[in-house]
Amino acid sequence: MNWSVLARSALFEGIGEGDRAALLACLGARERSIPKGQCFLRAGDVTRDLGVVLCGGVDLTREDHWGNTSLLARVGPGGTFAEVYAALGVPLAVDVTAAEETAVLLLNVDRALTGCAAACRFHQRLVRNLVMLLAQKNRALSQKADVLAQRTTREKLLTYLSAQAEAARSDAFTIPFTRQQLADYLAVDRSAMTVELGKLAKEGVLRFEKNRFELL
């Protein structure tokens, strides 16, 4: 078990190592390895487990009727996924795919929300952390809606990069996407986006190298 990742995960904030071990047993924790590129949860599946990424990362994507794929989010080590669907018991609306060689920890949401007979304090803290995570993800969805509401590729890029700079509290930051993934996230054509990035660089608005950006 990758204890160092769990210690940094917002889901386990304020829960000591000894309590984490007891809590994982209480939640029926299971570790699973996922090969790169494997879609291990598909839209329409029903799961009662939330996942925590131990290493690697997963992409949350949605495919429309015509096969066009939109990248909704990438979840890295310590991050969680599927918690909303697991809590509600409704079919997933997204595919969950390993972006690289990945290990995840699966935790039963029903056990998390109902608590245990001992009403242990660390279990109560877990529920609090889960509520905070859901609130943060709702905020992230609102931020993405702001990006997608922009009418042009340039406006989408600037809105997204401005939000990333604000989150990093720095004009220089790294994004978690390749060029194609960024285009999918912004719902724009990759070639058009690349051209727009070049224009922004020439205009002195920003500098970039691969996935490293600096707003000027």
Side-chain angles (χ1 to χ4, degrees):
M1 187 69 65
N2 195 334
W3 293 113
S4 62
V5 170
L6 294 185
R8 299 193 303 269
S9 173
L11 183 62
F12 294 96
E13 182 179 349
I15 301 174
E17 183 173 337
D19 287 342
R20 281 199 303 273
L23 183 58
L24 292 177
C26 182
L27 300 181
R30 290 111 55 215
E31 190 172 349
R32 180 175 172 183
S33 297
I34 315 295
K36 179 180 179 179
Q38 180 176 318
C39 180
F40 63 100
L41 284 175
R42 296 186 179 277
D45 289 349
V46 176
T47 180
R48 301 304 297 181
D49 297 323
L50 70 84
V52 182
V53 177
L54 296 176
C55 66
V58 299
D59 287 339
L60 309 183
T61 61
R62 181 175 293 160
E63 186 174 297
D64 66 18
H65 180 75
W66 296 274
N68 300 309
T69 299
S70 297
L71 177 62
L72 304 180
R74 168 164 290 182
V75 182
T80 60
F81 59 91
E83 55 271 78
V84 174
Y85 302 102
L88 294 175
V90 298
L92 274 75
V94 299
D95 291 334
V96 183
T97 303
E100 53 189 295
E101 295 295 321
T102 298
V104 300
L105 188 67
L106 301 175
L107 307 173
N108 184 275
V109 169
D110 289 334
R111 294 188 184 183
L113 296 179
T114 56
C116 59
C120 48
R121 58 183 173 79
F122 55 79
H123 206 130
Q124 295 170 1
R125 182 57 188 260
L126 178 79
V127 174
R128 177 184 173 187
N129 290 346
L130 182 57
V131 170
M132 291 300 297
L133 274 173
L134 294 175
Q136 291 166 2
K137 292 203 171 187
N138 185 62
R139 182 171 179 266
L141 286 174
S142 296
Q143 291 175 336
K144 181 168 185 182
D146 289 341
V147 171
L148 297 181
Q150 305 306 310
R151 302 185 65 178
T152 68
T153 298
R154 180 188 182 96
E155 290 170 342
K156 288 181 178 182
L157 275 168
L158 292 177
T159 301
Y160 171 75
L161 294 174
S162 294
Q164 293 299 300
E166 181 179 348
R169 298 183 179 180
S170 172
D171 292 335
F173 52 90
T174 301
I175 66 172
F177 301 137
T178 64
R179 286 287 180 273
Q180 184 59 59
Q181 290 165 346
L182 178 58
D184 290 341
Y185 181 84
L186 299 178
V188 299
D189 178 76
R190 176 182 174 177
S191 297
M193 183 192 73
T194 301
V195 170
E196 201 60 56
L197 282 171
K199 290 179 180 178
L200 290 167
K202 287 181 180 178
E203 294 169 13
V205 177
L206 55 79
R207 284 195 292 260
F208 67 91
E209 182 177 359
K210 296 183 178 180
N211 62 341
R212 181 72 177 173
F213 287 80
E214 182 180 2
L215 302 186
L216 305 176

